[in-house]
Amino acid sequence: MKHIFQQGTRQEAPTLVLFHGTGGTERDLLPLAKQISPDSSIISVRGNVLENGMPRFFRRLAEGVFDEADLIFRTKELSEFLDEAAIENGFDRDNLVAVGYSNGANIAGSLLFHYKHAFKAAILHHPMVPLRGLTLPDLSGIPIFIGAGSNDPICTPQETEELQELLSGAGAAVEVHWERYGHQLTSTEVAAAAAWFQKQWKD
């Protein structure tokens, strides 16, 4: 998969795995990563699917309607890519923190839904429930930050609350940060995510 890897300055800091939104690239979230954890290594991935020329991480049938078979396939593909990238780039596969926005948050969520040790923690900006009717793995001890919009037309508050309940029900420690800027990823939301991250990994 097309990606960027940047070596961090602190070996023990979690490696941040970045997942862009629809139409984005592997460069979009690099400034966020530096704000969240300046010392961390970064691996930023470009989605393998194109929708009208726009990169995405999996296909959809319509706005908010996922192609579930493709989502499951792409989730497995991405999990295997991270396994290989860890060996190739020399980072700890068990010390990864996901940072995703919109479509990128959805694929990160799907990795959490499918694989017990996908991530050590996750920052999900405006995610939806990736799949329903799935028995989630044990996510005990995994902290998750969700950035949400109380007036988000794509990811409704009800969707956010359902995702929070599912992740919490699997044992994750979920914190939701609410804003009123629709589906936008704002500087205040990023600052809240950075503060949350620093609280998890304070020295």
Side-chain angles (χ1 to χ4, degrees):
M1 297 183 75
K2 192 168 176 60
H3 67 281
I4 292 170
F5 178 74
Q6 295 180 352
Q7 184 69 52
T9 55
R10 271 205 318 137
Q11 191 70 30
E12 67 275 17
T15 296
L16 303 186
V17 189
L18 311 183
F19 303 101
H20 61 77
T22 299
T25 74
E26 64 278 16
R27 297 198 171 275
D28 281 18
L29 300 186
L30 293 175
L32 267 71
K34 290 300 180 189
Q35 191 169 339
I36 290 164
S37 182
D39 301 332
S40 285
S41 294
I42 296 164
I43 183 159
S44 188
V45 190
R46 182 185 294 192
N48 258 357
V49 170
L50 286 178
E51 181 184 277
N52 300 319
M54 298 186 299
R56 279 178 57 85
F57 286 97
F58 57 90
R59 295 188 182 92
R60 59 182 169 183
L61 306 176
E63 181 77 70
V65 183
F66 301 161
D67 180 333
E68 293 189 357
D70 190 61
L71 172 58
I72 292 165
F73 172 77
R74 300 294 173 184
T75 301
K76 183 173 184 289
E77 177 184 60
L78 197 43
S79 178
E80 290 170 354
F81 165 76
L82 290 174
D83 291 345
E84 292 161 10
I87 296 166
E88 184 182 321
N89 296 289
F91 60 80
D92 183 356
R93 178 66 181 85
D94 296 325
N95 195 21
L96 302 184
V97 174
V99 181
Y101 167 59
S102 193
N103 178 244
N106 294 336
I107 195 72
S110 184
L111 282 157
L112 288 165
F113 269 44
H114 284 91
Y115 300 104
K116 181 176 181 178
H117 301 295
F119 300 112
K120 196 171 186 177
I123 294 172
L124 308 177
H125 294 288
H126 301 264
M128 295 174 70
V129 176
L131 282 168
R132 290 176 170 86
L134 202 66
T135 300
L136 271 62
D138 180 7
L139 301 177
S140 296
I142 295 181
I144 297 173
F145 174 95
I146 295 177
S150 59
N151 58 343
D152 190 332
I154 295 171
C155 175
T156 64
Q158 292 80 10
E159 183 94 16
T160 299
E161 287 159 3
E162 183 184 350
L163 179 60
Q164 179 184 13
E165 285 171 16
L166 289 168
L167 291 168
S168 298
V174 185
E175 184 174 312
V176 180
H177 172 81
W178 293 97
E179 300 217 341
R180 278 195 62 80
Y181 294 98
H183 199 63
Q184 287 183 63
L185 177 51
T186 64
S187 58
T188 50
E189 187 177 316
V190 174
W196 173 88
F197 181 91
Q198 297 304 328
K199 191 170 62 181
Q200 310 303 319
W201 274 273
K202 62 175 179 263
D203 293 330

